[in-house]
């Protein structure tokens, strides 16, 4: 598995989120309840057999099986994550399943070297990444024209369901470094993917968003 060296600032950021280090082994159990949304999210990507899909902030690889169903043996799943502990769990999953078409990269999405002409990019439960202009620019610039992106996760519930927000906070606090933008987590992605279609789910405490990259930034 190719792995890059992490900068000290990234290590510091990770240390602030023990859910990605000492608790990585229990991440799957804690987040199992969201499997249905995970499937809905992956279904928003018009993946064809043989495609290359980037799983941005892939964590323990909970989306890999759903992506494998769609890309087939001839496709490729590229999982990028900056947490070595989350990636260790992902690597075990890949080995157990015998998937030889998954590439795991330990790096910050902001400065990872990505394959040009990627067909699709998936952002599942990666609020911090969606708030990072550098990360979004790097990903969107590597998706081919006509390729697709999909993003989904938690958000603050709207005013009519505001009572949900104590639960929303408790649920997401272990996994979110900064709640800035949590009312519209997809906003910066929408700036880069015109026409991004957004649907709120879970009484407004979650969202699913998808769209097509019109012109690859590399082709401009
Ligand atoms: C809540 S987990 C989601 C994991 C996976 N996508 C899922 O659906 O279960 C968020 C992941 O994003 C990773 N992450 C956060 N910021 C990142 C960044 N800037 N670059 C790479 N990975 C990042 C964390 O290490 C963590 O594994």
């Amino acid at each position: 598995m190719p792995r890059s060296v992490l900068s000290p600032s990234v290590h510091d950021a990770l240390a602030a989120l023990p859910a990605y280090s000492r608790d990585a082994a229990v991440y799957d159990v804690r987040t199992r309840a969201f499997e249905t949304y995970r499937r809905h999210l992956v279904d928003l990507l018009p993946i064809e057999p043989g495609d290359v899909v980037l799983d941005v902030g892939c964590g323990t690889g909970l989306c890999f099986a759903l992506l494998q169903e769609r890309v087939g043996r001839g496709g490729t799943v590229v999982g990028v994550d900056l947490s070595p502990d989350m990636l260790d769990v992902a690597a075990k999953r890949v080995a157990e399943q015998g998937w030889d078409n998954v590439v795991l990269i330990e790096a910050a999405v902001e400065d990872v070297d990505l394959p040009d002409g990627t067909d699709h990019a998936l952002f599942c439960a990666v609020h911090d990444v969606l708030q990072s202009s550098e990360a979004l620019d790097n990903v969107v610039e590597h998706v081919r024209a006509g390729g697709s992106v999909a993003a989904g996760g938690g958000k603050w519930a709207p005013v009519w369901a505001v009572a949900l927000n104590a639960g929303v906070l408790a649920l997401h606090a272990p996994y979110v470094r900064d709640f800035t933008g949590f009312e519209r987590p997809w906003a910066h992605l929408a700036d880069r993917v015109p026409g991004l279609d957004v649907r709120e789910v879970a009484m407004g405490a979650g969202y699913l968003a998808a769209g097509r990259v019109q012109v690859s930034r590399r082709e401009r």
Side-chain angles (χ1 to χ4, degrees):
M1 181 199 323
R3 292 213 158 171
S4 69
V5 176
L6 298 179
S7 70
S9 63
V10 170
H11 273 299
D12 291 351
L14 274 176
L17 285 177
Y20 298 144
S21 47
R22 65 159 199 261
D23 294 347
V26 295
Y27 176 84
D28 293 10
V29 176
R30 280 195 189 154
T31 60
R32 189 171 286 155
F34 304 104
E35 193 53 28
T36 306
Y37 293 121
R38 205 179 283 287
R39 180 171 283 279
H40 287 326
L41 182 61
V42 170
D43 282 347
L44 291 176
L45 294 169
I47 300 171
E48 298 287 342
D51 280 353
V52 176
V53 184
L54 181 61
D55 188 346
V56 181
C58 65
T60 62
L62 281 176
C63 293
F64 289 173
L66 296 168
L67 294 172
Q68 284 290 336
E69 281 174 20
R70 309 284 296 280
V71 299
R73 303 298 289 190
T76 306
V77 175
V78 180
V80 178
D81 203 289
L82 49 61
S83 163
D85 298 289
M86 296 292 269
L87 281 179
D88 279 347
V89 180
K92 280 193 196 103
R93 186 188 306 280
V94 170
E96 273 164 24
Q97 297 296 327
W99 292 321
D100 58 6
N101 58 346
V102 178
V103 179
L104 298 178
I105 306 175
E106 183 185 319
V109 179
E110 284 80 350
D111 48 37
V112 65
D113 247 341
L114 294 171
D116 280 334
T118 294
D119 296 299
H120 314 278
L122 174 71
F123 299 84
C124 184
V126 286
H127 180 72
D128 293 316
V129 174
L130 288 169
Q131 304 315 301
S132 162
S133 299
E134 294 85 356
L136 292 177
D137 283 343
N138 194 21
V139 172
V140 173
E141 144 169 327
H142 286 88
V143 176
R144 66 170 169 81
S148 70
V149 299
K155 62 179 280 293
W156 294 132
V159 175
W160 58 265
V162 76
L164 292 180
N165 280 336
V168 171
L169 177 63
L171 185 63
H172 295 285
Y175 307 112
V176 173
R177 213 156 38 217
D178 181 347
F179 280 88
T180 303
F182 210 63
E183 54 294 323
R184 292 177 77 244
W186 60 85
H188 299 301
L189 184 61
D191 290 343
R192 290 159 175 81
V193 181
L196 189 80
D197 186 46
V198 183
R199 181 160 62 95
E200 298 202 0
V201 296
M203 295 179 72
Y207 70 96
L208 298 170
R212 295 265 190 175
V213 172
Q214 288 165 8
V215 181
S216 165
R217 292 178 177 220
R218 298 237 146 177
E219 291 161 20
R220 280 179 195 164

